Amino acid sequence: MPVTNFSHPDPYKYQTGFDSYHETEAIEGALPVGQNSPQKAPYGLYAEKLSGTAFTAPRHENKQTWVYRIIPAAAHENFVAEDADSYHTRMTTETHKLHHIPNQLRWNPFDLDEKVDWVHGLHLIAGSGDPTQKQGLGILMYAAGKDMGKEAFYSADGDFLIVPQHGVLDIQTELGRIILRPNEICVIPRGVRYRVTLPDGPVRGYICELYQGHYQLPELGPIGSNCLANARDFQAPIAAFDDEEESEYKLYSKFNNTLFSARQNHTPFDIVAWHGNYYPFKYDLGRFNVIGSISFDHPDPSIFTVLTAPSDHVGTAVADFVIFPPRWLVAEGTFRPPWYHRNTMSEFMGLISGDYDAKVGGGFKPAGASLHNVMSAHGPDSGAFEGASNAELKPQKVGDGSMAFMFESAHMVGVSEWGLKTCQKVQPEYNEHSWKPLKRHFVNPNKKA
């Protein structure tokens, strides 16, 4: 199995399974037996419920976790808004501040930033919808070079799907610890508090924040019960806690895309035991079991979906997370790269490493991105078309050392002021360089010489 190789082992232990019901205790006997909220919880702990859905959500959708902690999460001072001039333009998705553009867009690699920590290195690049109505999504870039101190952060707006491109994230969550590296992903649910430190220096990557619902595995339909991402390969943390008598902490909240902060005199990381199905998890993209055509043509890119967030319309997603990992192409008589197309879905692509086989002109690089919005025509650049049209069609391994991905959404997404102008990474001649060089090959049999 092509499991990712890393230079140093993961120091933490995990439970396995996607959307499984887990229970874990850092001290034996910390989990109550037979009831969730006893009159007196073991060891003098407080019982607290973390709900990711309405109490009355259908059983198959209901997400909740009971935690047993030293001090309840409510014990903090009032939140106050952080400096709006510093954070508002980075994080807002107010409709009138987003630019809705039909042009194809592509960004050069985004910069590393060694001056800021995780909280202050978040930049909204595109988005749609409204977190106050729990509708839509936001697409962010992160770049940081400093550890968070005695601080914690959570988003009340949605679930963070984190896709690292460079560097290692050591994520201390309320429910346990996670190490996250390039070629892995992590989902931190709405409301879960966490702290990020950087054991190997500066980090950079992508985030798809889901305002609506939660990420789940896609249905497999005719594929059957196996392939794509298997439930057993997802990892959730085990309980781990800090025991500090008195300690000053700063708690950050992302609330309607505005940053607030509050003080508290105890650690947020004091959960000694928990049980439930609402928790952070990670997944190694090297474990994705790719499928494809073994005759002619090739299936839709939906066969590369790792996680999906369905809308209210069956088969249509608020967000799909799709990857294009190393794979074999064997289809006969077939133009093998993606076809030229116009899609009712918006497609935001990023590149973790290597080269993407449908873009050979050199403009799509690791840490860069592209956006093909609703019905914006796109496809292979001229070099990729000419190469694929004239290639010998033998079995071919593509994508060795490469990992491209896509956030795909039914929403028309707008580009933030930071993404369009402030970051200064937009390639002004993307369209011209990619598709203007395409040559006319048509031969009209009815046209006289």
Side-chain angles (χ1 to χ4, degrees):
M1 179 180 293
V3 179
T4 310
N5 275 321
F6 296 110
S7 58
H8 51 81
D10 191 329
Y12 305 128
K13 295 181 179 179
Y14 303 92
Q15 307 167 89
T16 60
F18 185 87
D19 204 24
S20 302
Y21 194 94
H22 289 310
E23 60 177 43
T24 171
E25 54 187 11
I27 297 177
E28 186 177 357
L31 280 173
V33 177
Q35 62 182 124
N36 296 319
S37 183
Q39 183 182 21
K40 290 186 178 181
Y43 300 111
L45 298 171
Y46 288 87
E48 179 177 288
K49 187 179 182 183
L50 179 62
S51 296
T53 55
F55 297 143
T56 52
R59 184 181 290 267
H60 70 280
E61 296 177 0
N62 206 297
K63 289 186 175 293
Q64 58 179 332
T65 289
W66 281 93
V67 304
Y68 303 91
R69 64 190 319 153
I70 298 171
I71 299 290
H76 57 73
E77 296 177 4
N78 285 339
F79 281 99
V80 295
E82 292 283 297
D83 181 3
D85 291 336
S86 298
Y87 306 113
H88 196 62
T89 55
R90 298 180 188 179
M91 301 179 73
T92 184
T93 53
E94 294 177 38
T95 302
H96 67 279
K97 293 183 181 288
L98 293 176
H99 303 269
H100 293 84
I101 303 169
N103 292 331
Q104 305 96 331
L105 295 173
R106 189 161 70 186
W107 288 265
N108 287 320
F110 292 92
D111 294 330
L112 294 166
D113 189 345
E114 299 188 20
K115 303 184 298 295
V116 298
D117 62 15
W118 171 264
V119 176
H120 302 95
L122 299 173
H123 297 266
L124 181 85
I125 188 170
S128 178
D130 183 351
T132 70
Q133 300 297 314
K134 292 187 169 68
Q135 295 175 342
L137 75 164
I139 297 171
L140 301 93
M141 303 297 303
Y142 72 82
K146 295 171 60 178
D147 292 344
M148 292 176 64
K150 288 201 167 184
E151 301 166 320
F153 170 82
Y154 75 92
S155 175
D157 294 343
D159 293 5
F160 266 37
L161 168 56
I162 303 170
V163 184
Q165 187 277 323
H166 177 87
V168 179
L169 303 175
D170 190 335
I171 306 174
Q172 181 182 14
T173 82
E174 296 178 275
L175 302 175
R177 305 189 71 134
I178 290 174
I179 281 282
L180 189 66
R181 297 161 285 200
N183 226 42
E184 296 178 321
I185 60 168
C186 175
V187 171
I188 300 184
R190 181 197 311 266
V192 171
R193 299 173 181 182
Y194 62 98
R195 172 177 177 265
V196 177
T197 55
L198 315 176
D200 284 356
V203 297
R204 176 178 55 197
Y206 313 82
I207 297 168
C208 187
E209 184 174 18
L210 182 65
Y211 307 149
Q212 182 173 344
H214 299 287
Y215 290 103
Q216 63 186 55
L217 293 177
E219 300 294 341
L220 294 180
I223 296 173
S225 57
N226 298 297
C227 293
L228 309 190
N230 292 313
R232 63 171 295 205
D233 293 323
F234 288 81
Q235 298 177 301
I238 63 172
F241 70 99
D242 293 339
D243 185 7
E244 301 174 6
E245 292 287 341
E246 291 285 338
S247 188
E248 182 80 9
Y249 269 82
K250 189 173 186 179
L251 176 62
Y252 289 102
S253 172
K254 181 177 179 291
F255 201 89
N256 191 22
N257 281 306
T258 301
L259 193 64
F260 292 81
S261 65
R263 297 284 179 179
Q264 63 181 57
N265 63 1
H266 60 95
T267 175
F269 308 109
D270 64 351
I271 293 176
V272 180
W274 60 267
H275 67 90
N277 64 352
Y278 191 63
Y279 45 76
F281 60 85
K282 77 169 188 173
Y283 174 73
D284 182 347
L285 300 179
R287 294 177 180 265
F288 188 81
N289 193 352
V290 182
I291 65 170
S293 172
I294 54 173
S295 55
F296 61 89
D297 286 346
H298 50 117
D300 299 321
S302 50
I303 62 169
F304 300 112
T305 302
V306 181
L307 294 171
T308 186
S311 70
D312 295 335
H313 187 74
V314 176
T316 304
V318 177
D320 282 331
F321 175 62
V322 179
I323 64 172
F324 302 100
R327 61 202 183 278
W328 282 93
L329 301 180
V330 299
E332 299 175 341
T334 297
F335 180 76
R336 289 178 174 174
W339 2 261
Y340 294 98
H341 61 291
R342 292 170 292 168
N343 194 351
T344 187
M345 307 280 279
S346 297
E347 302 177 15
F348 179 93
M349 284 197 68
L351 187 60
I352 299 170
S353 60
D355 297 305
Y356 178 50
D357 51 292
K359 293 286 188 288
V360 299
F364 186 48
K365 297 179 179 179
S370 67
L371 174 63
H372 303 133
N373 227 319
V374 173
M375 289 303 173
S376 296
H378 58 286
D381 58 28
S382 58
F385 175 82
E386 295 296 334
S389 298
N390 297 291
E392 179 185 357
L393 292 182
K394 58 184 180 180
Q396 177 189 11
K397 184 76 174 288
V398 299
D400 263 343
S402 174
M403 183 66 77
F405 72 88
M406 181 165 63
F407 301 143
E408 188 177 54
S409 175
H411 289 254
M412 180 182 292
V413 299
V415 183
S416 70
E417 187 74 8
W418 183 87
L420 190 63
K421 300 175 184 178
T422 310
C423 71
Q424 299 182 339
K425 295 298 180 181
V426 173
Q427 298 177 7
E429 298 177 341
Y430 171 42
N431 185 311
E432 182 175 348
H433 286 169
S434 293
W435 300 293
K436 187 175 181 179
L438 289 168
K439 300 175 182 178
R440 177 187 172 101
H441 295 286
F442 177 60
V443 178
N444 188 342
N446 298 320
K447 186 175 182 179
K448 295 182 180 180

